[in-house]
Amino acid sequence: MTSDFFDGYLRRLGVADPGAPSAAGLFALQRAHLERIPYENVDIQLGRPPGIDPELSVRRFAAGRGGYCFHLNGAFGALLEALGYDVTRHVGAVSADAASRAVRGDHLVLTVRVDGAEYWVDAGLGDMGPYDPLPLRAGTYEQNGFTYSLARLDPLDGEGPGWSFFASSGGARRMNFRDAPARTADFEAMHAWLSTDAESPFVRTFAVFRRDAEGTDGLRGKVLIRTERGKQTDERVLSGPEDLFEVLERFGRATDDLTPADRAALWARVERTHEAWLAERRTAQSVRD
């Protein structure tokens, strides 16, 4: 991919001149990515999951689409390399278990070396990840009321050596990744499962996320939530399909590729999964009572 291949991508990010590689430039690029290119699974919900080849993802982003981690970090890594950054890809895994040390391969991780330092860079963690890259060293980091930590993943854990990232907000989730470098091909099998299997969370639940300096906006099914400084500040249920597509546009996901049939199918899926979620919540509440 030549440098001018990324022009549409950079316009989407609002970056006219990224300049020479620098820590400041890296931070600006990640922030722009999180603010302007949403984490979303619209096409997976419609049964036409896009591939994870970075060139395809770059074209999709230039056309106003988003994606999930394999698309977002895959394309972002390719862009950073084209701009002259020293990038390494790693196999990672996200877990709702705060104590997990597993690395199943369901997350693509980037580390970047610039200005004599190494950073963990991530545009693909939805409402879980930090706004700014984190120095790749053990410690606790505060960003606008959100608390994150990085620790070494020991080989004795069965998955190391590597790193373990913990986000105390948003359900206290963990992401682990190995030191060893990876290639796009290492994620193909997991992408096939995540994007097509009926048990995959990406197939079961419609989700869109956008990150800014103050917090996150997240849409799961019909529930739209705003979180700031680590605390939920607003929640509402979408009123109908017009509301859904207005929210998608506001999150930065263009909808000009969606036919009337697509829109009807997507809203029908959102309603079905929302009703199933309500039924599960009622069942759980009755058990607690």
Side-chain angles (χ1 to χ4, degrees):
M1 288 181 277
T2 61
S3 59
D4 59 356
F5 177 76
F6 295 90
D7 287 349
Y9 189 0
L10 287 169
R11 283 195 296 272
R12 178 92 183 277
L13 295 178
V15 178
D17 180 10
S22 67
L26 178 65
F27 277 50
L29 286 164
Q30 175 165 310
R31 292 168 183 167
H33 211 295
L34 291 167
E35 290 180 2
R36 292 170 175 260
I37 302 181
Y39 182 108
E40 52 97 347
N41 63 344
V42 170
D43 288 313
I44 290 175
Q45 289 286 298
L46 291 172
R48 54 186 190 216
I52 60 172
D53 178 82
E55 181 173 337
L56 172 63
S57 296
V58 168
R59 295 182 186 278
R60 282 175 52 82
F61 297 167
R65 320 293 178 246
Y68 72 156
C69 68
F70 296 150
H71 310 106
L72 297 164
N73 284 340
F76 195 30
L79 171 64
L80 291 171
E81 285 179 326
L83 295 176
Y85 289 89
D86 182 3
V87 179
T88 303
R89 295 156 185 80
H90 308 265
V91 172
V94 177
S95 177
D97 178 2
S100 173
R101 296 295 186 272
V103 184
R104 298 178 305 277
D106 57 23
H107 190 64
L108 164 58
V109 177
L110 304 176
T111 56
V112 177
R113 285 150 299 282
V114 64
D115 291 349
E118 191 169 10
Y119 295 92
W120 167 52
V121 175
D122 209 306
L125 276 173
D127 61 344
M128 176 182 170
Y131 185 58
D132 290 326
L134 295 184
L136 194 62
R137 60 174 181 264
T140 299
Y141 302 90
E142 297 282 342
Q143 291 185 11
N144 296 321
F146 293 84
T147 302
Y148 309 108
S149 63
L150 275 172
R152 285 296 289 168
L153 186 66
D154 193 277
L156 295 177
D157 291 323
E159 291 288 4
W163 290 89
S164 190
F165 164 74
F166 179 71
S168 60
S169 60
R173 290 164 291 174
R174 187 172 293 276
M175 189 278 291
N176 305 312
F177 65 96
R178 302 185 186 116
D179 285 343
R183 303 167 302 154
T184 300
D186 296 326
F187 304 96
E188 290 285 359
M190 182 58 78
H191 170 61
W193 185 85
L194 288 172
S195 61
T196 63
D197 195 278
E199 294 303 310
S200 163
F202 294 98
V203 174
R204 294 174 63 187
T205 305
F206 174 61
V208 189
F209 300 103
R210 188 191 68 85
R211 184 78 164 87
D212 59 37
E214 301 303 320
T216 62
D217 296 298
L219 177 63
R220 285 187 177 90
K222 291 169 66 173
V223 182
L224 179 62
I225 294 175
R226 173 70 182 175
T227 302
E228 294 183 357
R229 302 191 64 80
K231 296 182 180 180
Q232 184 175 317
T233 59
D234 189 47
E235 177 179 325
R236 71 178 178 89
V237 176
L238 298 185
S239 60
E242 296 81 7
D243 198 7
L244 168 62
F245 296 109
E246 188 278 328
V247 168
L248 283 177
E249 292 279 357
R250 180 153 50 87
F251 275 30
R253 205 291 186 185
T255 60
D256 56 347
D257 62 318
L258 301 177
T259 67
D262 291 335
R263 291 167 183 256
L266 183 59
W267 179 248
R269 283 190 62 87
V270 168
E271 285 204 300
R272 284 197 303 272
T273 57
H274 183 74
E275 290 305 314
W277 171 74
L278 287 176
E280 290 176 4
R281 189 168 68 168
R282 286 192 294 268
T283 300
Q285 182 62 47
S286 67
V287 170
R288 288 194 296 268
D289 294 343

